Each structure stands twice: as C-alpha cells, then as structure tokens.
Amino acid sequence: MGPVSDSTRWIVVVEEPFLPADAGGRVETFSFLTAASAAGIRMQILVPSREDLDIAAYEEAVPGSAVIRLPRDDSPRAHLTPKPFMHASRPVGPLRRALESTPPRADAVISYSCRSSHLGEEIARIWKLPHLVRAHNVDSEFFRVLARSSSGPRAVAYELEYHKLRLAELAMHHSPLVTCIADISLEDHEWRRTRASVPTFHLPPFLPVGALRATASTEPAAAAAAAVAGDQRLIFVGSLDTPTNIEALRWFLGGCWPMIRVRHPKATFQVVGRRPEDGLAAWLAGFEGVELHTDVPSVAGYLTAATLSVNPMRSGSGVNIKAIEAMATATPVVSTPTGSRGLDWAPGTDLLVAEEPGAFAAAACELLDNPVRAAEIGLAGRAFVRRELDHAALIGRIQEHLTPS
C-alpha cells in the first residue's frame, strides 16, 4: 500500500495516555498512531487522562496530529452507575465540550480500545462517521479472572464490573454506531464474530517501527556464536502491578525456575517492568539468580541481551505484546498456550510452547543447551513478526474496513 493522501483524516480516541510507551498496550497504541502518521493520515487524538498532558510532546511524537485531553472521572459516583467503571470514568460530557471548541474534520472515528468505544459512538452519532473499534482483549473475561483470583470487597467489585461489561459488550456487538470491530487476537475474533451482528475482523498488533527494522544476524550459526559468548539470561517483561502477570511470575518461579537452576546453576532471570506491587521485590529476593529491574526507560536492550524470553501466562486474553517484542529482536520465546494465543504462529518453529511446569522448564533448558536451536527459533520468530506485522499492510486493512464497498 502506498502513502495515504493527506486528505485522509481520522479522529482517534485512545484508552489512556500513551507516553511514555513503556507497557504493552501503550506500545501498541503508540505504534499504531506513528504508523498512521507515517502513512500521511492526519489525526485528532483524544486522550482520557487524570493528569494534564504535555500536548507539545504528544504532537511532536505523532507528527501531523492534534492532541486533546479529556478529563477522567475517578470519583465514587463513577462506580455507582449502571455503566462499567471504565466507561463511566471516561465521561461523554468533556468530549462534547471538546468537539464544540474544536469541531472535527474527519473521514472516520477509531476507538483504539473497547474502553473508549462509547466515546467513539458519540462522535459517530453526532458527525455521522464510520466507526472502527480496536479490541485488545475481551474485557469482561479479564475482569472475571480478576474476580476469581481475588477475595472480599475487591472480588465483589470485579464481579460487578464483569457483569456490567458483558452488557456493554452485547450493546457494542449490535450497535448501529459501530461499523466494525478489529480484534488484536485471532481467538478473540473467533469468539466475537459468532456473537456480533457488527462485522469483525482480525487485525494483528502494531509494533514500533524500530523493532520491525532491527538488524541482527540472519544465520543461526552466527547468532548462536553470539549467544555462547554471553551469559545464560532469561527475561520476563510486563507491568508488575497486573494480577495476570504476577500470577505468571509465581507459577514460573514456583514450578519452573528451580528445575532450570538445577541444570543451569549460573543462569539468571531478569524481571523487567513498571510499578511493582507492594512486596514483590522482597519476594523475588528470596530466589537465587533473580534480578528485578523496574521502571526502565526501554526494555529493548534487556530483550536483545537475553538468551531467551519466558512468557508463562496462565490467564488473560488478547495478544501478549511482550512476546512479540522479544520475537522482533530475534530473542527466542518459551510460552504457555495462553501466552502464545492471538496470532497464527507455529509452535516449535516460531517459538516453543509448553503447558506444565516440567515441560516449560525442559523447553527453556533445550534452548539453553543448544544455542543453534535457540538461534533458529529466534530468527524464525523475527521473520514471522516482520512478515505478518507490516505497518502499511495493517493500515491498509483498516482503510478497507472503513471505506464502504
């Protein structure tokens, strides 16, 4: 697909501030915006935020865009409405006022999260625009998992949000104000297309353009030689205040890491992420060979230096951006089936997949024992990412679904 005409204009409503792009959802959102900008699309980007934004920095990061902050409402009343909190905390009132002061000039509106889809529907209703919703996961299922893994008042709150979200998803699936829904995950698309009268399609994630252009050896032998020269370093990347990530770490460190250390006593495990929950650092300190790196400016250097990346997710939906980021650097990935869901990659070729702790540890040790095999997996994963996640092709798919036939 060639560059899009400068006359193409979108209103994009994101979920939250996307700078710094230091976590999976933020990385994917920022990568989409920069891809659209590079394609010549001009955007008004509406950003729900609790805090003031450095508008100049945002507009510099996404050339050709106009960025507008929409205030968030995290007051108790946002919890006490029939709407899901994630909708009520992003109220429509500030959106209407913003559009009154800055009338949109647009061909379409894109809600770059189901959590902001109600705002996109309001824009579509007022301005009669086609409206695409980007779905990063099935939000109701995420909250059901949270409810089941919590207790007391928190579990009750999560369960209530789950039921509110189910109703909101039902409404979105049949809304005349939604033109189409673009699921990031193949499995989520298959789940949604049987429930929605609105057209749905699979749109893989956007990665930073630098990740798609990263250079590394294309020969397994050369990559293996580099791996042999370095340490045996495993890495986990993810937000460290997210229950599903903490669940994954506990499963890996409790069941897999001891077996890996028996066979590779000098191996180290780096946990890299932001906002560690209370007590996490002390808990990790109880394991030999484990290092915690928090709130780092970029995870790219950590991924490139790692021997392999582990993705031991036990629950959740969508696509794990952290696994794709590792693959983009030619770092081989060992994942659970849950962590590898979402894209049509080939287990055993593009990455290794194992369900039980013993099998997961064995897969990691296979790559530690055999640098050539590790390099083959890493290079195949990088080739998959470059082949399937081309920015121009992904932007083209969005255009096709927004343009009436």
Side-chain angles (χ1 to χ4, degrees):
M1 174 188 168
V4 177
S5 167
D6 282 355
S7 63
T8 301
R9 296 177 181 271
W10 290 344
I11 301 172
V12 181
V13 190
V14 299
E15 174 186 340
E16 62 178 355
F18 51 84
L19 295 180
D22 56 359
R26 293 184 177 197
V27 168
E28 207 271 334
T29 298
F30 181 54
S31 300
F32 156 69
L33 294 170
T34 54
S37 174
I41 296 169
R42 298 297 174 255
M43 292 173 285
Q44 277 186 305
I45 305 172
L46 308 183
V47 185
S49 176
R50 299 175 180 86
E51 309 293 338
D52 289 337
L53 300 176
D54 185 342
I55 298 296
Y58 273 71
E59 293 181 346
E60 181 180 0
V62 186
S65 67
V67 175
I68 301 171
R69 173 183 173 260
L70 300 178
R72 287 283 299 267
D73 177 10
D74 290 335
S75 67
R77 67 175 176 269
H79 292 274
L80 302 175
T81 74
K83 301 175 183 178
F85 172 75
M86 60 180 59
H87 287 185
S89 64
R90 297 172 174 86
V92 171
L95 169 69
R96 292 184 181 133
R97 290 190 290 274
L99 295 181
E100 288 171 1
S101 61
T102 310
R105 295 173 55 203
D107 306 297
V109 57
I110 296 178
S111 297
Y112 214 71
S113 168
C114 291
R115 301 183 181 194
S116 60
S117 61
H118 61 297
L119 300 176
E121 288 192 52
E122 182 68 5
I123 297 170
R125 182 185 68 80
I126 294 174
W127 298 100
K128 312 299 184 196
L129 295 173
H131 175 206
L132 180 147
V133 177
R134 169 52 139 182
H136 288 97
N137 51 38
V138 179
D139 280 316
S140 61
E141 291 302 308
F142 177 72
F143 274 86
R144 184 168 68 167
V145 169
L146 292 182
R148 291 178 175 179
S149 61
S150 304
S151 59
R154 185 181 296 271
V156 173
Y158 286 149
E159 183 72 19
L160 181 60
E161 185 75 356
Y162 159 70
H163 288 289
K164 290 180 178 180
L165 282 166
R166 292 294 275 185
L167 293 175
E169 287 166 350
L170 177 64
M172 181 183 71
H173 289 164
H174 303 285
S175 172
L177 298 173
V178 176
T179 304
C180 55
I181 302 171
D183 273 297
I184 198 171
S185 160
L186 268 173
E187 286 85 350
D188 289 354
H189 165 60
E190 292 299 324
W191 176 90
R192 200 181 306 275
R193 73 181 183 88
T194 62
R195 292 165 170 80
S197 58
V198 168
T200 68
F201 68 103
H202 174 228
L203 183 73
F206 287 82
L207 279 189
V209 65
L212 297 176
R213 294 176 179 170
T215 58
S217 171
T218 57
E219 294 296 330
V228 169
D231 300 326
Q232 292 188 322
R233 188 179 308 168
L234 289 70
I235 189 171
F236 174 89
V237 175
S239 297
L240 300 178
D241 60 349
T242 302
T244 51
N245 285 342
I246 300 303
E247 175 191 43
L249 279 174
R250 292 188 180 280
W251 180 84
F252 176 78
L253 285 169
C256 307
W257 183 237
M259 289 186 276
I260 295 171
R261 285 280 290 186
V262 167
R263 291 178 56 178
H264 296 274
K266 294 185 179 180
T268 58
F269 178 47
Q270 293 184 329
V271 178
V272 183
R274 60 175 183 150
R275 298 196 306 259
E277 69 174 18
D278 292 343
L280 180 65
W283 177 69
L284 292 176
F287 294 90
E288 291 187 4
V290 176
E291 304 171 2
L292 176 61
H293 301 266
T294 63
D295 302 313
V296 300
S298 170
V299 302
Y302 289 89
L303 288 171
T304 302
T307 311
L308 64 95
S309 173
V310 297
N311 191 32
M313 304 304 293
R314 308 301 298 163
S315 58
S317 63
V319 173
N320 284 123
I321 300 298
K322 52 181 170 282
I324 304 174
E325 286 185 290
M327 294 171 76
T329 67
T331 300
V333 173
V334 178
S335 177
T336 57
T338 297
S340 65
R341 69 192 303 276
L343 294 178
D344 195 21
W345 36 36
T349 299
D350 303 320
L351 75 172
L352 298 187
V353 178
E355 174 66 40
E356 300 302 325
F360 197 99
C365 289
E366 175 188 347
L367 299 184
L368 294 175
D369 291 334
N370 189 340
V372 171
R373 171 68 168 152
E376 290 173 346
I377 293 290
L379 294 173
R382 189 185 65 177
F384 174 90
V385 168
R386 291 186 172 185
R387 182 176 66 250
E388 300 294 329
L389 306 185
D390 176 72
H391 280 181
L394 297 182
I395 292 293
R397 294 194 67 189
I398 293 175
Q399 287 281 80
E400 290 169 8
H401 284 84
L402 284 173
T403 304
S405 57

